[in-house]
Amino acid sequence: FAMSSPCGGYSACVAPKAMAEDFWKDWPKMNLKATSAEYYFESYNHYGVHEDIFQDGVTIPAFQQAISQNAHIFQGKVVLEVCSGLGLCSLFAAKAGAQKVIAIEAHSELAEVSREIARRNGYEEVIEVVCGTPRSLEKLPGGIEKVDIIVCLFMGYFLMYEARLVELIEARERWLKPGGLMFPDRAKLFVSMVQDGDHKKKHY
């Protein structure tokens, strides 16, 4: 991944190990550690998940294209990113011309790094990172009562592991304006039965 220019280096989403280490070395120290049980129930608080996100050459470019190719929809709007992590979609929305972007992230370490990412990309006046969840927050900052657009990378794996549907729905019910937009606004599951004889012999 690259952060050298505002949102400009995400198209590849993959970088050599040396480049990644050089990028992280002068960032605030993070304590993203988790036990095996916590990794399942609080998996987003583990650095490995975010490494996977940066290396996802399908999902992240899809979000970037969906936002950048609809920049006319985002211009001058108030955007909310739910479960924002490191704030990738917040950066995309800010670059597309959003007037204000509120990024909600439950984990303080991620929120701290997200603020620094926004600052280094020149969007600290546009992106406001709030540490919390849609359920824990009494209200949005700055007297904002409703937002025009909600963006959320909610899918996880098969809408189950790491999924953020509960938080997304709660944010929608509380803060999305009537007629407001969600990116994305739907998901489809495709299921197929399969049997792996080698796996069965090895594990069962």
Side-chain angles (χ1 to χ4, degrees):
F1 55 91
M3 292 285 195
S4 57
S5 62
C7 306
Y10 288 110
S11 57
C13 297
V14 179
K17 182 178 179 181
M19 185 182 296
E21 291 175 350
D22 182 65
F23 172 74
W24 285 110
K25 67 181 181 180
D26 58 346
W27 287 79
K29 186 176 180 181
M30 300 176 71
N31 187 31
L32 297 179
K33 298 179 180 179
T35 64
S36 58
E38 289 169 341
Y39 189 87
Y40 182 83
F41 293 105
E42 296 289 340
S43 58
Y44 216 61
N45 197 29
H46 192 280
Y47 68 87
V49 173
H50 299 278
E51 183 178 6
D52 289 344
I53 291 173
F54 276 116
Q55 294 178 345
D56 186 338
V58 176
T59 306
I60 300 305
F63 270 81
Q64 183 180 23
Q65 291 173 15
I67 293 173
S68 64
Q69 292 178 6
N70 290 282
H72 61 286
I73 296 176
F74 283 80
Q75 289 176 4
K77 294 299 196 311
V78 177
V79 179
L80 174 66
E81 183 181 6
V82 180
C83 302
S84 58
L86 296 177
L88 292 179
C89 290
S90 293
L91 286 173
F92 298 154
K95 186 178 181 183
Q99 176 186 350
K100 181 74 175 179
V101 181
I102 302 168
I104 298 179
E105 172 50 49
H107 301 103
S108 58
E109 297 98 334
L110 296 178
E112 180 181 359
V113 174
S114 182
R115 292 187 187 99
E116 184 65 9
I117 290 174
R119 185 187 70 79
R120 293 198 181 195
N121 280 271
Y123 291 116
E124 68 271 25
E125 299 299 324
V126 177
I127 299 173
E128 183 169 357
V129 182
V130 179
C131 188
T133 66
R135 179 167 296 183
S136 67
L137 295 177
E138 293 184 4
K139 57 184 178 179
L140 295 176
I144 295 174
E145 297 182 356
K146 296 291 182 179
V147 301
D148 302 293
I149 302 171
I150 293 179
V151 179
C152 182
L153 210 164
F154 68 85
M155 295 75 69
Y157 295 91
F158 210 64
L159 296 181
M160 296 179 187
Y161 184 58
E162 295 177 25
R164 295 292 182 261
L165 277 173
V166 174
E167 292 90 340
L168 174 61
I169 291 171
E170 186 150 6
R172 179 194 67 186
E173 296 303 304
R174 292 187 64 186
W175 296 312
L176 186 62
K177 289 181 178 179
L181 300 176
M182 297 175 63
F183 280 70
D185 62 356
R186 68 193 67 191
K188 294 181 179 180
L189 293 178
F190 297 89
V191 182
S192 177
M193 297 183 67
V194 63
Q195 179 172 315
D196 187 336
D198 292 339
H199 179 83
K200 184 176 181 180
K201 288 178 182 180
K202 182 178 180 180
H203 296 283
Y204 301 100

